[in-house]
């Protein structure tokens, strides 16, 4: 078998090599003009300088010949050689910009193509320093760890409810997670569009979601030596852990978005931001403890679940503030979507009624709607 597989691979490799070497010589040269595409990934503003990070998203090399800011020619330093496909370069524009003013950066290529980028309101880009990363870590704690831990405080109240109420709470959890998945998907698609499509555009979000779903499914299958829905502390804790992991991956993407927005001056830090995110993410703690209503896990275990779900917001904020890459953020948001979908698949069998066997009865439908509505209403409080 292995000999046959190696032989097939060798034949395919030889055929592709021959096609690459000799195939192009049999085709005519392209008669049209070069296809030039540049995507602006980031604009960094410092005193008297505008740095524009561009990436070639087209098939042909691009040479930037001149740069204009608001129709005025400016001196710039950049690559002497043409920018190759998928390569990224930085253009430093010598321009005395004014805070709060809008600017249009126009890049003229060697073939006469004009590529524009609009800066709606100029503001100095924060310089990453130890204090800056500390601020991002503090912000991630405020919007991630603390709200999740606060939401988990409802566990003693949930223990005093009946099995019917627990089933409705699981439906609420599914509604919460479904809203998070859709919200992250839409945000990821928007960010993927900003990346210029160099690495696949919207496909990045779907790729991240598929990989996360498959990876978490494999982990769950490997760790479940018995029937997954068996009764027992291990089963309840495993489901709670998977929910925490799914929410944590979502909060990682959320932290990336927060850090990226702050790095380019599009995020206003203040009480409204902290309170809004705290109210929005507190409901995530409810989703984590819902499978634990008939168990008594230790405080250390509960704290660990809260850290798993909330701490990724800290990591995301630090990475987003320092890297600020739309394609990376889109992939990680997709990872959060895939993780949440995998968790919903795990929770869904628990919604089935033990008496009637129905999955979607009025109680479950009401719980699903309540979860979606709660996330929507608390999301309105986020003034970012």
């Amino acid at each position: 078998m292995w000999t046959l597989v190696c032989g097939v691979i060798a034949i395919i490799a030889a055929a592709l090599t021959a096609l690459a070497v000799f195939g192009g010589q049999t085709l005519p040269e392209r008669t049209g003009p070069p296809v030039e595409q540049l995507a602006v990934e980031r604009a960094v503003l410092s005193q008297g300088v505008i740095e524009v990070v561009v990436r070639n998203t087209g098939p042909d090399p691009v040479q930037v010949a001149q740069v204009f800011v608001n129709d005025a020619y400016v001196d710039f330093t950049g690559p002497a050689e043409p920018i190759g496909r998928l390569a990224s370069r930085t253009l430093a524009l010598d321009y005395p910009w004014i805070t709060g003013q809008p600017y249009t950066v126009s890049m003229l290529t060697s073939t006469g193509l004009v590529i524009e980028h609009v800066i709606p309101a100029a503001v100095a880009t924060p310089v990453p320093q130890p204090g800056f990363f500390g601020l991002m870590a503090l912000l991630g704690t405020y919007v991630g760890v603390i709200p999740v831990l606060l939401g988990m405080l409802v566990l003693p109240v949930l223990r005093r409810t009946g099995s019917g109420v627990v089933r409705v709470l699981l439906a609420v959890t599914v509604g919460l997670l479904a809203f998070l998945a859709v919200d992250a998907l839409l945000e990821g698609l928007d960010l993927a569009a900003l990346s210029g499509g160099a690495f696949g555009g919207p496909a990045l979000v779907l790729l991240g979601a598929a990989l996360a779903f498959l990876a978490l499914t494999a982990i769950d299958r490997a760790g479940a030596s018995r029937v997954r829905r068996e009764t027992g502390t291990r089963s309840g804790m495993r489901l709670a852990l998977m929910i925490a992991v799914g929410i944590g991956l979502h909060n990682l993407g959320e932290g990336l978005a927060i850090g990226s927005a702050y790095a380019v001056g599009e995020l206003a830090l203040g009480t409204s931001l902290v309170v809004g995110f705290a109210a929005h993410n507190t409901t995530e703690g409810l989703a984590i403890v819902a499978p634990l209503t008939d168990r008594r896990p230790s405080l250390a275990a509960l704290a660990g679940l809260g850290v798993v779900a909330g701490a990724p917001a800290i990591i995301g904020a630090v990475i987003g503030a320092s890297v600020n890459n739309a394609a990376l953020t889109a992939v990680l948001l997709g990872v959060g979507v895939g993780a949440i979908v995998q968790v919903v698949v795990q929770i869904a069998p628990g919604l089935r009624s033990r008496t009637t066997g129905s999955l979607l009865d009025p109680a479950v439908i009401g719980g699903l709607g309540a979860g979606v509505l709660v996330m929507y209403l608390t999301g309105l409080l986020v003034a970012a």
Side-chain angles (χ1 to χ4, degrees), residues 75-376:
D75 294 328
F76 75 98
T77 57
E81 299 296 328
I83 304 173
R85 171 167 170 74
L86 300 182
S88 176
R89 297 292 185 269
T90 300
L91 308 178
L93 317 181
D94 184 10
Y95 188 82
W97 55 271
I98 301 175
T99 301
Q101 295 297 315
Y103 294 99
T104 300
V105 178
S106 303
M107 293 164 284
L108 180 67
T109 69
S110 57
T111 62
L113 179 67
V114 177
I115 301 171
E116 294 185 343
H117 174 70
V118 177
I119 302 175
V123 64
T125 304
V127 179
Q129 296 176 348
F132 175 76
F133 292 119
L135 174 62
M136 290 296 99
L138 182 63
L139 181 60
T141 303
Y142 284 162
V143 305
V145 178
I146 294 178
V148 171
L149 291 176
L150 289 176
M152 296 174 67
L153 293 177
V154 302
L155 179 58
V157 178
L158 298 182
R159 287 201 184 107
R160 291 168 171 78
T161 60
S163 58
V165 176
V166 172
R167 182 165 167 261
V168 173
L169 289 177
L170 287 177
V172 172
T173 299
V174 173
L176 297 175
L177 295 175
F179 184 92
L180 290 178
V182 173
D183 183 61
L185 177 62
L186 296 177
E187 187 174 356
L189 292 176
D190 290 340
L191 286 173
L194 294 178
S195 67
F199 300 102
L204 290 172
V205 184
L206 302 180
L207 175 64
L211 292 178
F213 180 85
L214 295 175
L216 289 179
T217 300
I219 293 173
D220 179 66
R221 294 291 190 273
S225 57
R226 307 173 195 174
V227 179
R228 202 172 359 153
R229 296 305 170 192
E230 64 180 344
T231 58
T233 304
R234 185 180 178 187
S235 178
M237 281 299 298
R238 185 169 64 244
L239 182 55
L241 177 60
M242 296 302 292
I243 294 175
V245 170
I247 292 176
L249 291 175
H250 166 76
N251 284 337
L252 175 65
E254 197 170 72
L256 279 167
I258 292 174
S260 300
Y262 181 77
V264 297
E266 295 179 354
L267 184 71
L269 299 183
T271 304
S272 60
L273 173 74
V274 173
V275 173
F277 267 109
H280 186 61
N281 291 346
T282 297
T283 54
E284 297 174 353
L286 169 64
I288 295 173
V289 298
L292 304 176
T293 52
D294 57 347
R295 302 289 170 242
R296 292 190 174 275
S298 64
L299 291 178
L302 292 175
L305 292 174
V307 171
V308 169
I314 302 176
I315 302 173
V318 173
I319 295 177
S322 54
V323 178
N324 191 24
N325 186 287
L328 173 63
T329 305
V331 171
L332 292 179
L333 284 171
V335 168
V337 172
I340 290 174
V341 172
Q342 203 278 336
V343 172
V344 170
V345 170
Q346 290 194 56
I347 299 176
L351 301 181
R352 191 175 300 278
S353 174
R354 296 181 180 178
T355 57
T356 64
S358 62
L359 181 64
L360 293 177
D361 55 20
V364 171
I365 294 175
L368 293 172
V372 172
L373 186 61
V374 166
M375 292 303 290
Y376 170 75

